[in-house]
């Protein structure tokens, strides 16, 4: 069946097997290899992408549901001016080791920073926002610290408002 | 392989009902997919699939009516959590939705899916039961939906009484009185996020200033094969003044009233003790708060 949707700002029209997951289409057909399969059942978050600006497990989304919607993967986030700030925070905090989980974490981080409404930032909120992503190397502390720093980054908030290149 | 599956994405309820009434296919419904795509065999075997997220009324609609709210069965949890009217009037439902899976799951998962999947561990189910929810099933017959209570739909773990090609359209929640209201939703699991409940408890009630319980509703999840309300424990508390002695009696009553199962996540003894303790905890907290 034909599905048409936007990926990282680009319109794509594909003829897909309707049983394919969004993960399969992004990783295999579109070669967006930041979208990784971990558990394949929505537990680990390695396949996290933005679906209309919200983070979802692409292993649990039938690809045809993307029809008419906007998907953003890590490849797309790299084109956004705020990305380098996020990259730097993860590196400076030593929040990166083997990095299999990293693209999923970064996508969830962006979703959290973009959608957060609370005025003050605390550790519980950050942990809650990232609870759908598993990491087996870092022990989480460094990731949580990095994201807490980012949540207090004023410039980043402005960037979401001004320079977000995707819909919603 | 490629064309062995037919997918329909109706735009509205009329289109959806038309598809279901026009031919003899057996349709598989998908909304958020967060349960269905994990059940790989069911998903791989489906030959006729209807996507409920394309149906505007089911995926988008939260309708505030004079004495109730009507939520589209395919509205994602996140939208429910953020909805100002639901937040204001049904905080217990928001709390249950907030404790489901992870943000990723909440962004796709739906109440309709929670009901249709009929897991005893479905986190919204005891809350829907405590809220006296009505579930509206389609396709419509002569323009009207079939009404059911959530507990009537669930037949056992993973089993519903939904007929072939019957779908969950809406969940209606009667507006609970605000005055003197107290509520709690508690979930016990391996860890806070993602864990499937070992047990969950929903309590909704009303109390006056003299600590007399006017009405209390108690429902549990994960404890028995189906979601249950506990009428005996409720009756013991209704009309009584909340005291430490009454709380202890209620916990004992609940222990006797529930018939917990043993499974991979927990055993019956643990569930019996802990469910009673969680109720105790909820009621003691209420007592402390009121005595302040």
């Amino acid at each position: 069946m034909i599905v048409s949707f936007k990926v990282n700002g680009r319109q794509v029209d594909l003829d897909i097997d309707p049983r394919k997951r969004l993960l399969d289409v992004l990783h295999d057909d579109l070669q967006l290899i930041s979208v990784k399969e971990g558990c394949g059942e929505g537990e680990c978050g390695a396949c996290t992408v933005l679906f209309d600006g919200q983070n979802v497990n692409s292993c649990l989304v039938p690809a045809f549901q993307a029809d008419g919607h906007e998907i953003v993967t890590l490849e797309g986030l790299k084109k956004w001016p705020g990305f380098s700030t996020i990259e730097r925070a993860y590196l400076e905090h030593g929040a990166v080791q083997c990095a299999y989980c990293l693209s999923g974490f970064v996508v969830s981080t962006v979703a959290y920073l973009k959608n957060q409404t609370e005025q003050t930032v605390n550790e519980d909120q950050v942990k809650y926002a990232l609870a759908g992503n598993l990491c087996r190397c870092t022990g989480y502390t460094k990731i949580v610290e990095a994201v807490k720093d980012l949540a207090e980054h004023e410039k980043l908030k402005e960037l979401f408002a001004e320079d977000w290149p995707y819909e919603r | 392989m490629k064309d062995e599956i037919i997918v329909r994405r109706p735009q509205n309820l009329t289109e959806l009902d038309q598809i279901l009434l026009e031919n003899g296919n057996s349709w598989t419904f998908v909304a958020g997919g967060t349960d269905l795509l994990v059940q790989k065999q069911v998903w791989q075997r489906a030959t006729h699939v209807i996507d409920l997220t394309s149906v505007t009324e089911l995926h988008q609609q939260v309708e505030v009516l004079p004495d109730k709210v009507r939520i589209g069965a395919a509205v994602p949890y996140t939208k429910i959590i953020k909805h100002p009217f639901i937040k204001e009037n049904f905080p217990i439902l928001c709390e249950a939705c907030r404790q489901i899976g992870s943000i990723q799951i909440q962004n796709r998962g739906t109440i309709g899916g929670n009901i249709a999947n009929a897991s005893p561990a479905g986190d919204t189910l005891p809350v829907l039961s405590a809220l006296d929810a009505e579930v509206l099933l389609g396709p419509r017959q002569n323009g009207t939906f079939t009404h059911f209570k959530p507990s009537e739909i669930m037949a056992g773990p993973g089993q519903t009484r939904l007929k072939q090609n019957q779908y969950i359209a809406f969940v209606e929640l009667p507006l609970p009185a605000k005055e003197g209201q107290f509520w709690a939703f508690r979930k016990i699991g391996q860890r806070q996020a993602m864990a499937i409940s070992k047990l969950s408890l929903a309590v909704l009630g009303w109390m006056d200033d003299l600590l007399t319980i006017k009405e209390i509703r108690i429902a549990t999840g994960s404890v028995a094969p189906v979601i249950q309300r506990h009428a005996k424990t409720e009756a013991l508390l209704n009309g009584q003044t909340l005291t430490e002695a009454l709380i202890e009696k209620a916990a004992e009553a609940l222990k006797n009233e529930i018939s917990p199962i043993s499974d991979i996540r927990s055993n019956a003894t643990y569930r019996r003790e802990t469910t009673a303790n969680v109720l105790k905890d909820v009621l003691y907290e209420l007592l402390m708060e009121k005595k302040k």
Side-chain angles (χ1 to χ4, degrees):
Chain A
M1 77 188 276
I2 307 287
V3 289
S4 305
F5 55 103
K6 266 187 168 178
V7 184
N8 300 330
R10 184 169 65 98
Q11 182 69 36
V12 293
D13 307 285
L14 296 168
D15 187 6
I16 59 155
D17 174 349
R19 284 196 185 84
K20 275 197 177 174
R21 306 165 297 175
L22 184 57
L23 165 66
D24 305 322
V25 168
L26 295 173
H27 184 277
D28 301 346
D29 299 348
L30 297 171
Q31 293 287 305
L32 297 164
I33 58 166
S34 78
V35 190
K36 300 191 190 75
E37 175 151 20
C39 65
E41 22 187 79
E43 295 268 348
C44 78
C47 66
T48 303
V49 300
L50 296 183
F51 187 113
D52 290 344
Q54 291 184 314
N55 50 332
V56 305
N57 296 309
S58 62
C59 72
L60 297 183
V61 179
F64 59 74
Q65 286 189 337
D67 190 72
H69 294 275
E70 168 127 30
I71 309 297
V72 180
T73 69
L74 187 76
E75 286 86 347
L77 292 178
K78 283 164 97 170
K79 295 185 213 150
W80 170 59
F83 182 78
S84 58
T85 308
I86 293 176
E87 195 174 37
R88 199 175 316 124
Y90 265 78
L91 290 174
E92 281 172 2
H93 282 274
V96 181
Q97 287 188 32
C98 94
Y100 194 85
C101 69
L102 187 62
S103 34
F105 262 101
V106 171
V107 175
S108 287
T109 301
V110 169
Y112 165 63
L113 298 173
K114 191 172 174 295
N115 300 329
Q116 71 159 340
T117 47
E118 285 91 355
Q119 294 303 313
T120 54
V121 182
N122 68 50
E123 199 171 309
D124 287 346
Q125 289 163 13
V126 173
K127 284 182 176 169
Y128 179 73
L130 299 177
N133 294 80
L134 297 185
C135 171
R136 285 294 173 254
C137 303
T138 62
Y140 301 104
T141 309
K142 292 170 177 182
I143 297 176
V144 172
E145 288 302 319
V147 178
K148 246 174 77 184
D149 262 17
L150 288 166
E152 282 157 355
H153 206 288
E154 288 304 319
K155 183 83 204 311
L156 212 49
K157 280 179 201 160
E158 289 167 27
L159 274 177
F160 277 117
E162 291 167 11
D163 287 327
W164 184 250
Y166 309 108
E167 280 169 39
R168 280 174 264 226
Chain B
M1 188 72 192
K2 213 168 184 179
D3 290 309
E4 281 174 8
I5 170 172
I6 293 166
V7 177
R8 301 290 296 269
R9 307 190 75 223
Q11 299 298 299
N12 54 50
L13 275 177
T14 311
E15 271 181 50
L16 171 63
D17 283 2
Q18 250 164 23
I19 296 169
L20 293 169
L21 298 172
E22 86 198 358
N23 59 35
N25 296 317
S26 173
W27 294 93
T28 301
F29 299 102
V30 60
T34 54
D35 277 318
L36 186 61
L37 268 76
V38 176
Q39 300 158 13
K40 296 205 164 62
Q41 288 175 336
V42 183
W43 176 243
Q44 289 300 330
R45 249 188 250 142
T47 54
H48 294 74
V49 174
I50 292 180
D51 182 9
L52 297 178
T53 67
S54 63
V55 183
T56 311
E57 296 94 323
L58 304 188
H59 187 52
Q60 314 264 354
Q61 197 166 293
V62 177
E63 198 181 351
V64 179
L65 301 161
D67 54 347
K68 63 189 169 197
V69 64
R70 182 188 265 203
I71 304 171
V75 171
Y77 296 124
T78 299
K79 190 164 177 183
I80 293 171
I81 295 166
K82 289 188 175 163
H83 195 280
F85 187 82
I86 298 181
K87 234 195 235 175
E88 172 76 20
N89 292 283
F90 303 93
I92 188 172
L93 180 64
C94 291
E95 183 56 33
C97 294
R98 270 180 55 83
Q99 291 198 30
I100 289 173
S102 59
I103 304 283
Q104 284 98 317
I105 300 289
Q106 290 164 20
N107 282 339
R108 294 303 292 170
T110 68
I111 292 189
N114 216 202
I115 298 169
N117 199 48
S119 163
D123 284 327
T124 65
L125 304 178
V127 169
L128 294 179
S129 181
L131 284 167
D132 266 341
E134 291 263 330
V135 183
L136 277 58
L137 305 178
R140 288 162 290 183
Q141 308 284 338
N142 305 318
T144 51
F145 293 104
T146 315
H147 286 239
F148 268 103
K149 289 281 174 198
S151 57
E152 294 168 338
I153 293 178
M154 195 166 169
Q159 304 289 319
T160 66
R161 296 194 173 87
L162 290 173
K163 290 186 203 124
Q164 191 179 9
N165 290 351
Q166 213 169 24
Y167 65 91
I168 301 167
F170 297 99
V171 172
E172 280 187 355
L173 306 174
L175 208 56
K178 269 196 178 163
E179 206 189 312
Q181 192 196 100
F182 58 89
W183 63 270
F185 175 76
R186 298 285 171 83
K187 171 173 162 179
I188 307 283
Q190 281 297 40
R191 70 176 184 121
Q192 232 170 8
M194 285 314 299
I196 297 169
S197 303
K198 288 173 197 262
L199 61 94
S200 59
L201 181 85
V203 175
L204 178 67
W206 293 266
M207 192 156 80
D208 65 17
D209 292 339
L210 302 167
L211 301 184
T212 306
I213 297 170
K214 291 196 283 187
E215 187 191 342
I216 190 166
R217 302 174 190 163
I218 301 166
T220 55
S222 294
V223 170
V226 292
I227 300 305
Q228 288 180 324
R229 278 276 293 272
H230 302 292
K232 284 182 190 160
T233 311
E234 290 177 2
L236 187 136
L237 288 162
N238 281 337
Q240 302 296 310
T241 305
L242 191 65
T243 60
E244 290 184 14
L246 184 71
I247 293 173
E248 295 296 328
K249 254 169 76 181
E252 268 316 298
L254 186 63
K255 227 185 261 185
N256 293 323
E257 189 174 5
I258 54 178
S259 41
I261 51 160
S262 290
D263 66 6
I264 184 169
R265 280 182 286 282
S266 188
N267 61 55
T269 318
Y270 175 89
R271 283 193 161 110
R272 194 183 297 277
E273 289 295 326
T274 313
T275 307
N277 283 343
V278 173
L279 177 67
K280 237 198 263 190
D281 192 52
V282 166
L283 294 177
Y284 269 112
E285 218 167 76
L286 180 67
L287 186 62
M288 302 294 198
E289 197 182 300
K290 291 281 172 176
K291 274 186 171 170
K292 253 190 249 168

